[in-house]
Amino acid sequence: DKGNHRHFMAKEIHEQPEVVAHTLSHYIDMAKESVVLPGELPFEWNKIERVSISACGTAYYAGLVAKYWFERYARLPVEIDVASEFRYREAPLRKGDLALFVSQSGETADTLASLRYAKEQGLHVLSVVNVQTSTIARESDVIMPTLAGPEIGVASTKAFTCQLSVLACLAIAAGRARGAISDAEERKLVRALIEVPRHMNETLTLEGDIEALARDLGKSSDVLYLGRGTSYPLALEGALKLKEISYIHAEGYAAGELKHGPIALIDETMPVIVTAPYDSVFEKTVSNMQEVAARGGRIILLTDSKGAAEATMPGVTIITLPDMPSSVTPLVYALPVQLLAYYTAVALGTDIDQPRNLAKSVTVE
Ligand code: M6R
């Protein structure tokens, strides 16, 4: 049932404040403002030397954000691969370390094969899954469920932000157990998470502005997405969403990589979408935007009020999101990124919930 939405994707985008709040409520003691994981872990965070994350597609991008979080908040080294690469590259794995898998369906063949491989190598297997009866869930040592509810649209939306919610809680739990963050820091991070659904609701009020921008985007044949730090995976996710449902060619890049190649593509016809909250790397991203503007490029900037005040170069259209701590920006910035892709596809009249050549769950390698 799509409710009063035209597509499941729209419904699922709009469900995010609710399902993220629901997911967080299973991982957070709201009164104590601390993380309480819903299951016992079969390992101690202190004994883990490295986390190996594998996943595919959007779930991989959630894992990529989590890499920044685990390293920053838990001082825990993370390696991450797309699942189809992980088990073939003969990585030296250490028995007793942690292998983390992220999957909405829990049936993705490559992710499942990587899980079995990690298990054989003696790693602890923890999975973040949406379908709790799935094969990946069954074969894991422990699961941390996302409570997104059934996701029908082939393009993943609410599963992504729920994955980020769970992964953020895991990183905080690891940080506390490893003594990498203080109680006060934990409370601050948790408070920021609790505010996410409110920021999401506020962001959804920008829908009309995003729809208007998307009508123009539909006229382009190529789109470049740029971001730094935890906004870099969002650039990748934005490009994937646009490709999947609008069939427009899009690429996501770390903003700093612009001058190492993709800048050659910039002209007046190529839109560049920049996800850049005002955080510690914002100034660096501004210089990348200046490089784009100097070549006549058109920029759509997703930022907050401070970022909007500083990004004054010509050719920029700004979508101003609410201000929030930088620890949680990936969760909220995911929404305008999804909406841009969605409304571009609406303008083009593609089959949004069932894009050509794609399946909801990829059960072959
Ligand atoms: O079910 P999974 O999370 O394991 O699926 C992984 C990918 O196939 C999936 O995220 C795919 O990239 C989506 N179509 C993205 O929108």
Side-chain angles (χ1 to χ4, degrees), residues 271-282:
V272 180
I273 299 176
V274 183
T275 43
Y278 190 85
D279 58 13
S280 59
V281 290
F282 179 79

Side-chain angles (χ1 to χ4, degrees), residues 262-286:
I263 197 164
L265 299 170
I266 305 290
D267 62 17
E268 310 73 47
T269 65
M270 174 132 119
V272 180
I273 299 176
V274 183
T275 43
Y278 190 85
D279 58 13
S280 59
V281 290
F282 179 79
E283 294 300 336
K284 302 273 175 201
T285 309
V286 168

Side-chain angles (χ1 to χ4, degrees), residues 55-61 102-109 111 136 151 153-157 159 163 237 240-241 244 358-362:
C56 301
T58 290
Y60 168 73
Y61 299 142
V102 187
S103 176
Q104 187 285 127
S105 63
E107 302 295 347
T108 301
T111 311
I136 288 177
E151 192 181 62
V154 164
S156 186
T157 54
Q163 285 159 355
E237 169 64 359
L240 176 64
K241 282 293 89 91
E244 283 191 295
L358 291 174
K360 180 65 186 159
S361 171
V362 184

Side-chain angles (χ1 to χ4, degrees), residues 16 19 36-37 50 57 64 85 92 112 123 125 137 150-151 162 165 234 251 263 289 296 315 320 333 346:
Q16 290 177 104
V19 294
V36 183
L37 298 181
R50 187 171 58 174
L64 202 50
E85 290 298 320
L112 178 60
L123 277 78
V125 170
E151 192 181 62
C162 287
S165 306
L234 271 188
E251 289 193 63
I263 197 164
M289 287 193 287
T320 309
Y333 281 63
V346 168

Side-chain angles (χ1 to χ4, degrees), residues 128-354:
V128 175
V129 289
N130 197 41
V131 181
Q132 295 186 44
T133 53
S134 61
T135 314
I136 288 177
R138 279 200 314 273
E139 295 196 16
S140 300
D141 297 327
V142 59
I143 63 164
M144 292 291 151
T146 48
L147 304 172
E151 192 181 62
I152 311 290
V154 164
S156 186
T157 54
K158 62 177 180 169
F160 177 67
T161 43
C162 287
Q163 285 159 355
L164 290 177
S165 306
V166 172
L167 291 165
C169 290
L170 273 175
I172 294 169
R176 182 181 59 205
R178 292 167 64 84
I181 50 169
S182 65
D183 288 355
E185 281 163 328
E186 174 176 3
R187 275 198 302 278
K188 206 170 134 197
L189 290 168
V190 169
R191 265 202 298 274
L193 283 170
I194 294 172
E195 293 296 308
V196 162
R198 189 170 61 81
H199 296 314
M200 283 180 162
N201 273 319
E202 212 178 306
T203 301
L204 287 172
T205 65
L206 303 168
E207 192 166 5
D209 302 341
I210 295 171
E211 182 177 4
L213 281 178
R215 275 195 287 273
D216 237 29
L217 216 53
K219 295 176 195 143
S220 317
S221 52
D222 307 271
V223 177
L224 187 62
Y225 285 76
L226 300 175
R228 275 179 188 262
T230 52
S231 296
Y232 162 48
L234 271 188
L236 298 173
E237 169 64 359
L240 176 64
K241 282 293 89 91
L242 192 72
K243 276 185 271 218
E244 283 191 295
I245 59 168
S246 76
Y247 315 142
I248 292 175
H249 169 234
E251 289 193 63
Y253 261 94
E257 277 290 293
L258 181 67
K259 50 181 144 326
H260 299 288
I263 197 164
L265 299 170
I266 305 290
D267 62 17
E268 310 73 47
T269 65
M270 174 132 119
V272 180
I273 299 176
V274 183
T275 43
Y278 190 85
D279 58 13
S280 59
V281 290
F282 179 79
E283 294 300 336
K284 302 273 175 201
T285 309
V286 168
S287 39
N288 302 128
M289 287 193 287
Q290 275 155 351
E291 290 159 358
V292 172
R295 286 156 187 85
R298 287 190 289 135
I299 299 171
I300 295 175
L301 172 63
L302 305 175
T303 189
D304 45 33
S305 60
K306 284 198 200 118
E310 296 221 0
T312 50
M313 65 284 299
V316 189
T317 310
I318 300 180
I319 296 281
T320 309
L321 277 79
D323 295 315
M324 69 198 84
S326 57
S327 57
V328 296
T329 53
L331 288 109
V332 181
Y333 281 63
L335 274 56
V337 160
Q338 297 161 353
L339 286 168
L340 266 176
Y342 174 74
Y343 280 110
T344 305
V346 168
L348 293 172
T350 53
D351 189 353
I352 292 177
D353 286 331
Q354 290 289 332

